[in-house]
Amino acid sequence: MRTQWLDETIVYDGVQLRAHWALARTGLVGDVLVGFRGPCRVADAEIADLADVDGPGIAGDDMVHFVWEAFDHADLLLAVHRQRLLAAQARELLAELAPRATVQRDGDDLWVGDGKLSISIATVSPVSALVHFAVNATPGGAPVRTATLQELGVEPIAFGRALLARIAGEQQSIADARAKVRPKGEWR
Amino acid sequence: MRTQWLDETIVYDGVQLRAHWALARTGLVGDVLVGFRGPCRVADAEIADLADVDGPGIAGDDMVHFVWEAFDHADLLLAVHRQRLLAAQARELLAELAPRATVQRDGDDLWVGDGKLSISIATVSPVSALVHFAVNATPGGAPVRTATLQELGVEPIAFGRALLARIAGEQQSIADARAKVRPKGEWR
Amino acid sequence: MRTQWLDETIVYDGVQLRAHWALARTGLVGDVLVGFRGPCRVADAEIADLADVDGPGIAGDDMVHFVWEAFDHADLLLAVHRQRLLAAQARELLAELAPRATVQRDGDDLWVGDGKLSISIATVSPVSALVHFAVNATPGGAPVRTATLQELGVEPIAFGRALLARIAGEQQSIADARAKVRPKGEWR
Amino acid sequence: MRTQWLDETIVYDGVQLRAHWALARTGLVGDVLVGFRGPCRVADAEIADLADVDGPGIAGDDMVHFVWEAFDHADLLLAVHRQRLLAAQARELLAELAPRATVQRDGDDLWVGDGKLSISIATVSPVSALVHFAVNATPGGAPVRTATLQELGVEPIAFGRALLARIAGEQQSIADARAKVRPKGEWR
Amino acid sequence: MRTQWLDETIVYDGVQLRAHWALARTGLVGDVLVGFRGPCRVADAEIADLADVDGPGIAGDDMVHFVWEAFDHADLLLAVHRQRLLAAQARELLAELAPRATVQRDGDDLWVGDGKLSISIATVSPVSALVHFAVNATPGGAPVRTATLQELGVEPIAFGRALLARIAGEQQSIADARAKVRPKGEWR
Amino acid sequence: MRTQWLDETIVYDGVQLRAHWALARTGLVGDVLVGFRGPCRVADAEIADLADVDGPGIAGDDMVHFVWEAFDHADLLLAVHRQRLLAAQARELLAELAPRATVQRDGDDLWVGDGKLSISIATVSPVSALVHFAVNATPGGAPVRTATLQELGVEPIAFGRALLARIAGEQQSIADARAKVRPKGEWR
């Protein structure tokens, strides 16, 4: 898997979570994780989570976004595990960058007290698995009470670049672990 | 998936990470995660991680063990993701139980400073995926510098029971997430 | 897998065999099998079986319907096996409820003499496997010669509820069987 | 899948349910279902079902055996579905051959009253899925109360040959069904 | 898998590479490979290869086409391997039919010097894997420099029929190989 | 996937085609293809192809060997496709290195006239897929009539290194192709 931080501001409206968007944007062929900063205004037709379809909307004025498209092992169950691990990694990174704050993970969501720090979804296209994860950078524009990286004193782009590296690193480590283990037999 | 805390002391020597050990021990049929407390002395022939085969041994006098056997989706890649998520969950739980301590996760390992808090492996049998994760409860018996729950001020059995519940809860939440998401199409 | 009998009359027109219909109708998240009674008038665009596309239509004034959506193991080959087993279970149940009648199973169809008792299809959505199975409750509305539960003296709703329980029971028994079996080796 | 009835008497001791036994016996390469008649005395080491390991033994003096080895889609969950469908087909065939008898199916077992008519197991080898199903032909040798084809007035070899044909026929029909169905979309 | 040569001229415009086209055309149910001769003018909306979307177009006045639809093991990674092997087989056949020519394979493309002899794509539908492979029969109509069977002195229909047979033969041989091999264990 | 040419002479006796041999030999973690030169004397217990078990033995005094272990997509059907494609690539390479010779591929075997140039097998371990392919470098030691690279005027080590590069290149190209293709819909 390859990663790329995109320096330009991109409005995330949900079409970025479609097959081959990352390829078109970056030219990187294969499993790719891209990060960028920009507002979030998910169009109704692009909402993937049925729990959100009749909700207050998915929006924010300034977020750090991650879009992951995997063609290899494009299975939804695995994708949700990857998404959860990504959220856990984000929390771990924040524990290092903002050691005094208390960030909680609840499934694919991060919280600071009762402020929602992140949004996320994992889904599939006919040819790939897709994960979106985004963290509020600065306040404003969200339909719910939020927390932000600004409140945590975390610089958004440094956070974004660091998380890209961590996720790629752990995926490599997972692949390596799989290739170094002996199988086990029957207990009796 | 079902969980069970076993109150008896069990010496973990590696045969517990074989197919159907948990079934034989608990009578629970299907995906199961069991926890127990006891020493760890992994027999050479039971070492699954090739990185450990010529190492100092895998041992500890008093650990909290988790043995997870999954028959459903018994895939090694998924099992390693589950193992990593389990380690992340253990860290998250410790951050709540011992908020002043700094526990770091490095792949499937937890560390407190340069003290190794945990050991873990994920592998497969011909009919299942298997994960072992164990945390040092009190010092002694390990061939490497360790950290322990005792140093963190965390009660081992409470920790064990709480982690069982958390893992089962997140697995259910992952299954639910998969069933509530709409697919996405082609970008262009 | 969970089951639910829906007491209201529902016209089955084929949109019920789409992803997440059962979730929207019942609120049950995950693998679900729902049963209900109502007419059947499958819209042309909703016909899944290519063998039916240019046929006389799929219709009936009063049927007992079963809609099964599985997110776990959403494979079409497995779904057709499940569908066939469902049809076999329906036949077995009818042999108990109407012991003097002779119901024959031919693939996914049940017959009483030359009267077609049931219709069925198994297919997939991008996120799930889908099975529809329906049995004529009372005569009328079908473009072919039919048999009905009424002729067999079988009460439709009792049949529907009993079949739901049987299918869920066998799926559980299948999952259990998988978790209790030792693998075998090479013959020579 | 190909089928073959073996005319010679073969003692089923469990090694027949190993990878490539059917190939060695018949020369048929690929998915194969063989039938034969003979005693059954499963060696302890060959017992696959853990529920039977400490049981009264698996034996019978005269049974009609079916051994199915599938290399294509050698998945245990599918294999158990195939096994169940095979049992259902056996029951359907007996309903035709012995219309006055009442044969009940309970999972992978057939019963006539409280007499057990059949035994069965589905498992995997490292390269295939394996199913054994056997029906008592004449009484004797079993550690439990049995029923037999003789009591049902069913000729064992005719039954065996007919069941081979039926299973192969339905597997073909399942494969065909998979290739004739259109996918479905999202409900909303 | 079954094969069929279609004697009529068919314009390949890309809709032939959709689910169930081959079934509708031939009536053959299941995995099928069809061959035919005709012009090629792929409509923009039917272009599957993103590398071609903004390219000069995919066209030719007279080509030998192969359309392969597989419902069994409908996996894209496997489909690309099958496509590559098909291209290699085409090259091998041409080496026999035109021993003096030098045909090179580069991935899924065949070349004679700097003349492109073939086009190809492998993709998936929701229910199947699909491969198109086509070789220029006579010159004309292509947006790039081409080579043709005519230049090689190869009769198009004989080539087409021979390649159908070879591909089906090798698929059978692959299936047989899988069913005749013993697994291997751990090195140490 | 990574490749490595091993300069030392290694006797291939079949244990090299076991899980993690390449890891132990090279230290390369993950999918790996290694090449080396050495005699071949496959021990009976290591013969994987059942067609060879009662044959004349698998041996040669001087061969160029390739051992491929894949942990990713460790499926036997795919492994056989990869093996066939490897054989086709070997033939293509030989057509370039020895343009005057006529090397034929028959499944996984290469022939020069009635001389067998190569041997090959594809199989699985519990954690990986394994392929062995070997080409006779110089004559001697084989139980059948052989052809050799020497007769073709091909330098063995240059051939070995070139084939390693080609196989890795095509695997990358296959992975890329999978990530650049749009799915297709229903024909009608």
Side-chain angles (χ1 to χ4, degrees):
Chain A
M1 116 184 246
R2 281 182 287 179
T3 64
Q4 188 167 104
W5 179 262
L6 307 175
D7 285 316
E8 56 272 39
T9 298
I10 298 173
V11 180
Y12 182 87
D13 59 11
V15 303
Q16 293 78 17
L17 201 67
R18 291 182 166 211
H20 302 118
W21 174 82
L23 167 62
R25 190 80 192 197
T26 68
L28 296 175
V29 178
D31 287 14
V32 65
L33 174 65
V34 299
F36 55 88
R37 187 171 178 178
C40 178
R41 297 182 200 109
V42 181
D44 285 356
E46 296 293 336
I47 294 177
D49 193 336
L50 288 165
D52 292 328
V53 166
D54 297 315
I58 304 172
D61 286 345
D62 180 18
M63 302 186 80
V64 180
H65 298 273
F66 303 90
V67 171
W68 187 350
E69 181 165 23
F71 300 91
D72 209 28
H73 306 288
D75 172 73
L76 183 48
L77 183 65
L78 180 64
V80 181
H81 279 83
R82 283 173 163 166
Q83 174 208 33
R84 299 298 173 98
L85 193 53
L86 186 163
Q89 287 169 306
R91 183 187 182 277
E92 290 165 0
L93 178 59
L94 291 172
E96 295 175 26
L97 299 178
R100 293 183 194 161
T102 297
V103 180
Q104 306 270 1
R105 181 176 71 87
D106 179 20
D108 58 2
D109 283 328
L110 301 185
W111 295 81
V112 182
D114 62 351
K116 197 162 183 286
L117 183 62
S118 68
I119 56 173
S120 186
I121 190 68
T123 185
V124 285
S125 82
V127 293
S128 57
L130 295 158
V131 176
H132 176 240
F133 183 78
V135 176
N136 296 308
T138 56
V144 298
R145 179 185 293 264
T146 60
T148 66
L149 292 178
Q150 190 182 64
E151 295 164 33
L152 299 175
V154 171
E155 202 285 309
I157 293 174
F159 167 78
R161 289 182 181 276
L163 191 53
L164 290 183
R166 243 170 223 243
I167 293 165
E170 183 141 28
Q171 283 295 312
Q172 185 59 51
S173 135
I174 287 170
D176 287 356
R178 182 177 50 163
K180 287 190 296 189
V181 72
R182 296 195 288 198
K184 300 280 279 187
E186 191 69 16
W187 176 65
R188 178 191 172 183
Chain B
M1 109 184 254
R2 282 182 286 181
T3 64
Q4 189 167 103
W5 178 263
L6 306 176
D7 284 317
E8 56 272 38
T9 297
I10 298 173
V11 180
Y12 182 87
D13 59 11
V15 303
Q16 293 77 16
L17 201 67
R18 290 182 167 210
H20 302 118
W21 174 82
L23 167 63
R25 190 82 193 195
T26 67
L28 296 175
V29 178
D31 288 14
V32 64
L33 174 65
V34 299
F36 54 88
R37 187 173 177 177
C40 177
R41 296 181 202 109
V42 181
D44 284 355
E46 295 293 336
I47 293 177
D49 193 336
L50 288 165
D52 292 328
V53 166
D54 297 315
I58 305 172
D61 286 345
D62 181 18
M63 302 186 79
V64 181
H65 298 273
F66 302 90
V67 171
W68 186 351
E69 183 166 21
F71 300 92
D72 209 27
H73 305 289
D75 172 73
L76 182 49
L77 183 65
L78 181 63
V80 182
H81 279 83
R82 283 173 163 166
Q83 174 207 34
R84 299 299 173 96
L85 194 52
L86 186 162
Q89 286 168 307
R91 182 186 183 280
E92 290 165 1
L93 178 57
L94 291 172
E96 295 175 25
L97 299 178
R100 292 182 196 163
T102 297
V103 181
Q104 306 270 1
R105 180 175 72 87
D106 179 19
D108 58 2
D109 284 327
L110 300 186
W111 295 82
V112 182
D114 62 350
K116 197 162 182 287
L117 183 62
S118 68
I119 56 173
S120 185
I121 190 67
T123 185
V124 285
S125 82
V127 293
S128 57
L130 294 158
V131 176
H132 176 239
F133 183 78
V135 176
N136 297 307
T138 56
V144 297
R145 179 185 291 263
T146 61
T148 66
L149 293 178
Q150 191 181 63
E151 295 163 32
L152 299 174
V154 171
E155 202 284 308
I157 293 174
F159 168 78
R161 289 181 181 276
L163 191 54
L164 289 183
R166 246 174 220 239
I167 294 165
E170 183 142 28
Q171 283 295 312
Q172 185 61 51
S173 136
I174 287 170
D176 287 356
R178 182 177 50 163
K180 286 190 299 189
V181 72
R182 297 194 287 197
K184 300 280 280 187
E186 190 69 14
W187 176 65
R188 178 190 171 183
Chain C
M1 126 183 237
R2 282 182 286 179
T3 63
Q4 188 167 104
W5 178 262
L6 307 175
D7 284 318
E8 57 272 39
T9 297
I10 298 173
V11 180
Y12 181 88
D13 59 10
V15 302
Q16 293 77 17
L17 201 67
R18 289 182 168 212
H20 301 118
W21 174 83
L23 167 62
R25 191 81 194 196
T26 67
L28 296 173
V29 178
D31 287 14
V32 64
L33 174 65
V34 298
F36 55 88
R37 187 172 178 179
C40 178
R41 296 182 202 107
V42 181
D44 284 356
E46 295 293 337
I47 293 177
D49 193 337
L50 287 165
D52 292 329
V53 165
D54 297 315
I58 305 172
D61 287 346
D62 180 18
M63 303 187 79
V64 180
H65 298 273
F66 303 90
V67 170
W68 187 350
E69 182 166 21
F71 300 92
D72 209 29
H73 306 288
D75 173 73
L76 182 49
L77 184 65
L78 181 63
V80 181
H81 280 84
R82 284 173 163 165
Q83 174 206 34
R84 299 299 173 98
L85 193 53
L86 186 161
Q89 287 169 306
R91 184 188 182 278
E92 290 165 1
L93 178 58
L94 291 172
E96 295 175 27
L97 299 178
R100 290 182 196 163
T102 297
V103 180
Q104 306 270 0
R105 180 175 72 87
D106 179 20
D108 58 2
D109 283 327
L110 301 185
W111 295 82
V112 182
D114 62 350
K116 197 161 183 286
L117 183 62
S118 67
I119 57 173
S120 186
I121 190 68
T123 186
V124 285
S125 83
V127 293
S128 57
L130 295 157
V131 176
H132 176 239
F133 183 78
V135 176
N136 298 308
T138 56
V144 298
R145 179 186 292 264
T146 60
T148 66
L149 292 178
Q150 190 182 65
E151 296 164 31
L152 299 174
V154 171
E155 202 285 309
I157 292 174
F159 167 78
R161 290 182 180 275
L163 191 53
L164 289 183
R166 245 171 221 240
I167 293 165
E170 183 142 28
Q171 284 295 312
Q172 184 60 51
S173 135
I174 286 170
D176 287 355
R178 183 177 49 164
K180 287 189 297 189
V181 72
R182 296 195 288 198
K184 301 280 280 187
E186 191 69 15
W187 175 65
R188 179 190 171 182
Chain D
M1 118 184 243
R2 281 181 288 179
T3 64
Q4 189 167 103
W5 177 262
L6 307 176
D7 284 317
E8 56 272 40
T9 298
I10 298 173
V11 180
Y12 181 88
D13 59 11
V15 302
Q16 293 77 17
L17 201 68
R18 290 182 167 211
H20 302 119
W21 174 83
L23 168 63
R25 190 80 193 197
T26 67
L28 295 174
V29 178
D31 288 15
V32 64
L33 174 64
V34 298
F36 54 88
R37 187 173 178 177
C40 178
R41 296 181 201 109
V42 181
D44 284 356
E46 296 293 337
I47 294 178
D49 193 337
L50 288 165
D52 292 328
V53 166
D54 297 314
I58 305 171
D61 287 345
D62 180 18
M63 302 186 80
V64 180
H65 298 273
F66 302 89
V67 171
W68 187 350
E69 181 165 21
F71 300 92
D72 208 28
H73 306 289
D75 171 74
L76 183 49
L77 183 65
L78 181 64
V80 181
H81 279 83
R82 283 174 163 164
Q83 173 207 34
R84 299 298 173 96
L85 193 52
L86 186 162
Q89 287 169 307
R91 182 187 182 278
E92 290 165 1
L93 178 58
L94 291 172
E96 295 175 25
L97 299 177
R100 292 181 195 164
T102 298
V103 180
Q104 306 270 1
R105 180 175 72 86
D106 179 19
D108 58 2
D109 283 328
L110 300 185
W111 296 81
V112 182
D114 62 350
K116 196 161 183 289
L117 183 62
S118 68
I119 56 174
S120 186
I121 190 67
T123 185
V124 285
S125 82
V127 293
S128 57
L130 295 158
V131 176
H132 176 239
F133 182 78
V135 176
N136 297 308
T138 57
V144 297
R145 180 185 292 265
T146 60
T148 66
L149 292 178
Q150 191 181 63
E151 295 163 33
L152 299 174
V154 171
E155 202 284 308
I157 293 174
F159 168 78
R161 290 180 180 277
L163 191 53
L164 289 183
R166 244 172 223 240
I167 293 165
E170 184 143 27
Q171 283 294 312
Q172 185 60 52
S173 136
I174 287 170
D176 287 356
R178 181 176 51 162
K180 285 189 299 189
V181 71
R182 296 194 290 198
K184 300 281 280 188
E186 190 69 16
W187 176 64
R188 178 192 174 184
Chain E
M1 122 183 241
R2 281 182 288 179
T3 63
Q4 189 168 103
W5 178 262
L6 307 175
D7 284 317
E8 56 271 39
T9 297
I10 298 172
V11 181
Y12 182 87
D13 59 11
V15 303
Q16 293 75 18
L17 201 68
R18 290 181 166 212
H20 302 117
W21 174 82
L23 167 63
R25 190 80 192 196
T26 67
L28 296 174
V29 179
D31 287 14
V32 64
L33 174 64
V34 299
F36 55 88
R37 187 172 178 178
C40 178
R41 295 182 202 109
V42 182
D44 285 355
E46 295 293 337
I47 293 177
D49 193 337
L50 288 165
D52 292 328
V53 166
D54 297 315
I58 304 171
D61 286 346
D62 180 18
M63 303 187 80
V64 180
H65 299 273
F66 303 90
V67 171
W68 187 350
E69 182 166 21
F71 300 92
D72 208 28
H73 305 289
D75 172 73
L76 182 49
L77 183 65
L78 180 63
V80 181
H81 279 83
R82 283 173 164 165
Q83 174 207 34
R84 298 299 173 97
L85 194 51
L86 186 161
Q89 287 168 306
R91 183 187 182 279
E92 290 165 1
L93 177 58
L94 291 172
E96 295 175 27
L97 298 178
R100 291 181 196 165
T102 298
V103 180
Q104 306 270 359
R105 180 175 72 88
D106 179 19
D108 59 2
D109 282 328
L110 301 185
W111 295 82
V112 182
D114 62 350
K116 197 162 184 284
L117 184 62
S118 68
I119 56 173
S120 185
I121 190 67
T123 186
V124 285
S125 83
V127 293
S128 58
L130 294 158
V131 176
H132 177 239
F133 182 78
V135 176
N136 297 307
T138 57
V144 298
R145 180 186 292 263
T146 60
T148 65
L149 293 178
Q150 190 181 64
E151 296 164 32
L152 300 174
V154 171
E155 201 285 309
I157 293 175
F159 168 78
R161 290 181 179 276
L163 191 53
L164 289 183
R166 245 171 221 240
I167 294 165
E170 183 141 30
Q171 284 295 311
Q172 185 60 51
S173 136
I174 286 171
D176 287 356
R178 182 176 50 162
K180 285 190 298 190
V181 72
R182 297 194 288 198
K184 301 281 279 188
E186 190 69 15
W187 175 65
R188 178 191 171 182
Chain F
M1 117 183 244
R2 281 182 287 180
T3 64
Q4 189 166 103
W5 178 262
L6 307 176
D7 285 318
E8 56 272 39
T9 297
I10 298 172
V11 180
Y12 182 88
D13 59 11
V15 303
Q16 293 77 16
L17 201 67
R18 290 182 168 212
H20 302 117
W21 173 82
L23 167 63
R25 190 83 193 196
T26 67
L28 296 174
V29 179
D31 288 14
V32 64
L33 174 64
V34 299
F36 55 88
R37 187 171 177 178
C40 178
R41 297 181 202 109
V42 182
D44 284 356
E46 296 293 337
I47 294 177
D49 193 338
L50 288 165
D52 291 328
V53 166
D54 297 315
I58 304 172
D61 286 345
D62 180 18
M63 303 186 81
V64 180
H65 298 273
F66 303 89
V67 171
W68 187 351
E69 181 165 23
F71 300 92
D72 209 28
H73 306 290
D75 172 73
L76 183 48
L77 183 65
L78 181 64
V80 181
H81 279 82
R82 284 173 163 165
Q83 174 206 34
R84 300 298 174 97
L85 193 53
L86 186 162
Q89 287 169 306
R91 182 187 183 278
E92 290 165 1
L93 177 58
L94 291 172
E96 295 175 26
L97 298 178
R100 291 183 194 162
T102 298
V103 181
Q104 305 271 1
R105 181 175 72 86
D106 179 18
D108 58 3
D109 284 328
L110 300 185
W111 295 81
V112 182
D114 62 350
K116 197 162 182 287
L117 182 62
S118 67
I119 57 173
S120 185
I121 190 68
T123 185
V124 285
S125 82
V127 293
S128 57
L130 295 158
V131 176
H132 176 239
F133 183 78
V135 176
N136 297 307
T138 57
V144 297
R145 179 186 292 263
T146 60
T148 65
L149 293 177
Q150 190 180 64
E151 295 163 32
L152 299 174
V154 172
E155 202 284 309
I157 293 174
F159 168 78
R161 290 181 180 277
L163 192 53
L164 289 182
R166 245 171 223 241
I167 293 165
E170 183 142 28
Q171 283 295 310
Q172 185 60 51
S173 136
I174 286 170
D176 287 356
R178 182 177 51 162
K180 286 190 298 189
V181 73
R182 297 194 288 197
K184 301 280 279 188
E186 190 70 16
W187 176 65
R188 179 190 171 185

